[in-house]
Amino acid sequence: MSSLSLINSIVITGQQPGPHLLILGGVHGDEYEPMAAIRSLKKLIEPEELSGKVTLVPVVNQPAYERSSRCGPDELDLARTFPGAPDGSISQQIAHQATQLIESADYLIDLHTGGLISDLAPFSGYCLHSDQTILETQRKMARAFGLPVVWGTSAELQGRSLSAARDAGVPAIYAEWGGGSRCLPEAVSGYAAGCLSVMSALGMQETPVKTQPIQYHIEDNREQSGHLQLQNHAPVSGFFEPAVKLMETVQAGDSLGTICSLLGDEITTITASQTGVILGLRTLPYVKQDEWLAVILETDRPAPSTDSP
Ligand SMILES: [Zn+2]
């Protein structure tokens, strides 16, 4: 065990030299599958078989975790707060220390879920990067993570752990899976397998790891691509009942579900704003106007031109 003043971590040092991989969970305090998966890696990574060093942080945002919330007591979203400030509010201080951790690493994996209010299909993602070598490494890591969807998105997004990694020249990926105020066992084991598989791809261990086949690898360089909360907002407040499931294919204009009023006398049909695959879906029935209801992966966008297998 070691700790910066605000972030508790587990460091596993291999018997052979090699790179330093940082694995983060709990940037959002209500995302549980990553926390359990990262703790399980402590038992799964054998120092005798490890080349390099792995730093495991099951819960980056402990104050948010302890209030069962996405955000800490200052109500800042840590994933919009990087690189933070050493003398700022609690989230700004945590972001600052996490940025220092990222700058000390050679590679970053940051694991997320849909949080208390939503459920996400398994996917890994990365920022499109101006440095071709870093971009290719990120593509390799994201594909090695072994989830059905791989998504490269805007290089411009700010405030994320991936923004701090981009600015430090550290190849980085994130992953999303699960959520909805539970801890899905297959996401826990799948996340652990994904991290081990990336370690194999980076030459940090020799054991091959079995992962899922990739169904979609899409790159989208529009400015706000990858910002999950910007699509398919609720036009009114009320009780949301989805009509679709994760990974279902929809056409723009198809029904995503309905929002009904308290007594059920006013029903608003929600239609898909894009054509693609449902990647995320709100699970908490009560929704306020303008909150997001669904994330659609636009599958008609081009696949990357990469030599990756
Ligand atoms: Zn998150």
Side-chain angles (χ1 to χ4, degrees):
M1 292 282 289
S2 71
S3 68
L4 292 161
S5 58
L6 294 169
I7 300 175
N8 290 293
S9 62
I10 301 157
V11 177
I12 304 173
T13 305
Q15 292 189 354
Q16 294 78 239
H20 176 200
L21 170 66
L22 172 63
I23 305 177
L24 301 180
V27 163
H28 293 127
D30 63 348
E31 300 183 359
Y32 302 110
E33 288 87 345
M35 301 175 188
I38 293 171
R39 274 196 299 272
S40 78
L41 286 171
K42 187 170 70 162
K43 297 196 194 84
L44 295 171
I45 298 171
E46 301 284 351
E48 304 79 51
E49 287 163 26
L50 175 65
S51 299
K53 183 169 90 168
V54 181
T55 299
L56 303 171
V57 182
V59 184
V60 176
N61 196 345
Q62 199 177 327
Y65 169 68
E66 288 173 354
R67 63 202 293 264
S68 309
S69 172
R70 178 177 175 89
C71 302
D74 56 9
E75 296 297 347
L76 291 179
D77 182 338
L78 187 59
R80 305 290 179 272
T81 307
F82 282 82
D87 50 2
S89 69
I90 182 70
S91 297
Q92 290 169 325
Q93 289 181 44
I94 292 171
H96 173 73
Q97 294 190 3
T99 298
Q100 290 181 306
L101 261 179
I102 291 167
E103 289 168 347
S104 76
D106 298 305
Y107 303 101
L108 168 67
I109 301 174
D110 185 7
L111 301 178
H112 288 256
T113 80
L116 290 181
I117 64 160
S118 67
D119 195 9
L120 294 174
F123 70 94
S124 61
Y126 53 91
C127 292
L128 296 168
H129 204 292
S130 55
D131 182 317
Q132 196 63 26
T133 307
I134 291 177
L135 177 59
E136 284 300 337
T137 304
Q138 294 184 154
R139 284 174 175 152
K140 181 173 84 169
M141 290 168 69
R143 293 181 67 89
F145 202 94
L147 299 180
V149 174
V150 178
W151 200 17
T153 53
S154 172
E156 307 302 326
L157 292 183
Q158 301 300 329
R160 272 64 164 194
S161 65
L162 261 62
S163 320
R166 174 199 63 209
D167 295 344
V170 175
I173 61 167
Y174 72 102
E176 301 273 5
W177 192 349
S181 73
R182 61 190 170 162
C183 190
L184 193 66
E186 57 261 40
V188 175
S189 56
Y191 266 174
C195 291
L196 294 170
S197 179
V198 171
M199 289 170 57
S200 297
L202 295 173
M204 298 180 71
Q205 61 167 23
E206 287 184 8
T207 325
V209 180
K210 189 166 166 37
T211 57
Q212 300 180 47
I214 295 167
Q215 291 176 39
Y216 300 100
H217 186 171
I218 289 173
E219 292 193 341
D220 182 348
N221 60 7
R222 287 173 296 175
E223 196 177 329
Q224 289 291 338
S225 66
H227 192 319
L228 299 184
Q229 288 89 348
L230 289 186
Q231 295 183 5
N232 297 292
H233 289 162
V236 291
S237 302
F239 192 104
F240 177 56
E241 290 180 85
V244 290
K245 292 192 174 70
L246 292 180
M247 293 305 283
E248 198 173 314
T249 301
V250 293
Q251 306 290 321
D254 283 358
S255 171
L256 294 176
T258 54
I259 295 177
C260 79
S261 60
L262 204 63
L263 300 181
D265 45 359
E266 287 173 38
I267 296 175
T268 306
T269 299
I270 311 302
T271 52
S273 56
Q274 306 105 323
T275 293
V277 165
I278 302 287
L279 210 51
L281 204 53
R282 185 182 179 91
T283 50
L284 189 71
Y286 178 68
V287 61
K288 291 193 185 77
Q289 185 176 5
D290 294 331
E291 288 182 331
W292 72 273
L293 300 171
V295 178
I296 297 172
L297 175 75
E298 292 175 69
T299 46
D300 50 358
R301 300 199 68 80
S305 53
T306 165
D307 299 332
S308 305

